[in-house]
Amino acid sequence: MDLQTQLVHNKWRIDAQTGAVSVPIHHASTFHQFDFDTFGKYDYSRSGNPTREALEETIAELEGGVSGFAFASGMAAISTAFLLLSKGDHVLITDDVYGGTYRIITDVLSRFGIEHTFVDMTDLDAVARHIRPNTKVIYMETPSNPLLKITDIRGVVKLAKAHGCLTFLDNTFATPLLQRPLDLGVDVVLHSATKFLAGHSDVVAGLAVVKDERLAKQLRKLQYSFGAVLGVQDAWLVLRGLKTLHVRLDYASRSALQLAQFLHHHPKVAHVYYPGLSFHEGHDIHRDQARGFGAVLSFELEDEQAVRTFVKHARIPVFAVSLGAVESILSYPAKMSHAAMPKAERHRRGITDGLLRLSVGLEATDDLLADVEQALSYV
């Protein structure tokens, strides 16, 4: 079946015991064992819970993996995946990575003797040059946050396999509907399920998916040991959100393209970052490895004062952190998603004080266009 159908009709669409068309929420921390010598499938909810398992199997199926893992947040998923590393290992990571990932790399992993190098992953030659003998993970984010940079997934995977490295990829912006990294050879796919997968600004969750049984066994042990598992109510909310992912993402993506085209031609906008624009660097690569361009775009105004003026007059988008929700969300990376990154580092990566990120929601496209136009008239 097409992924659009699988979102609604999967193994968990009907409860086998009751016929319910919604996954039961098992608010149980522990499970009675009926046999003294042989324990059942579930014993303690940190190691496994039927509701969480439904989400984990669903995301594994959607991503084409053998095992999925649900965590308390996107950063919990990323942090747990990084626990596959050991002291002395080296991580090669995309340079304009999400600020939370930047923080875990620079402030936390470095204290445990794990080395890192940031690199522009749009340049495969640069990636190849920076791989070291102790490089164990190459970390991709494509499209990246917030500049929507495009990484050639197949190219990086080829380099990683040649050097015995694992590949991680944050697939939050694209979701498995638009991009299936495991099919392209990636080892670990990561999601902030808070965003498009859940889609309603009412849950914080993270997901990881792998295609290799050996790696699945390692990550399952880490999930159990580290314990940052997703609660059952939140797992149910993500499962509910997944059912409408296709219609939400399809509509929002079409609106995003129209907004990107409008902003590109506006005299007060210095630059627009959106993979759906034919001149966007990496447009052809993204079109080859993905099924659509997504609902997130960024655009650059003259400076922080211009941003302040625009935000003050924009009426429809909420001004907030996060993205991927039914409401449009306007974010200022310098003070929000990338606040953990020093100003000099942000500017070196092109994340300027005039940059805004817009996650397009489900409002009428014409209303959004009119609102953006009137807000720009004050800039």
Side-chain angles (χ1 to χ4, degrees), residues 25-28 45-56 59 69-74 76-77 80 191-194 198 202-208 223 227-239 242:
I25 304 175
H26 292 271
H27 281 292
S45 274
R46 174 157 52 89
S47 60
N49 178 284
T51 309
R52 193 176 85 230
E53 182 183 45
L55 173 59
E56 291 176 333
I59 192 62
F69 304 89
F71 296 91
S73 68
T80 305
H191 290 277
S192 173
T194 308
D202 56 9
V203 63
V204 175
L207 298 170
Q223 182 192 39
V229 296
L230 187 63
V232 294
Q233 185 73 38
D234 291 340
W236 184 86
L237 284 169
V238 178
L239 282 164
L242 280 169

Side-chain angles (χ1 to χ4, degrees), residues 6-16 19-24 26 41-42 49-61 236 239 243:
Q6 289 182 46
L7 289 170
V8 181
H9 297 285
N10 51 54
K11 172 184 174 181
W12 299 93
R13 69 190 183 108
I14 298 173
D15 179 52
V21 296
S22 179
V23 172
H26 292 271
K41 183 177 183 181
Y42 308 104
N49 178 284
T51 309
R52 193 176 85 230
E53 182 183 45
L55 173 59
E56 291 176 333
E57 290 197 2
T58 298
I59 192 62
E61 182 180 344
W236 184 86
L239 282 164
K243 293 180 179 180

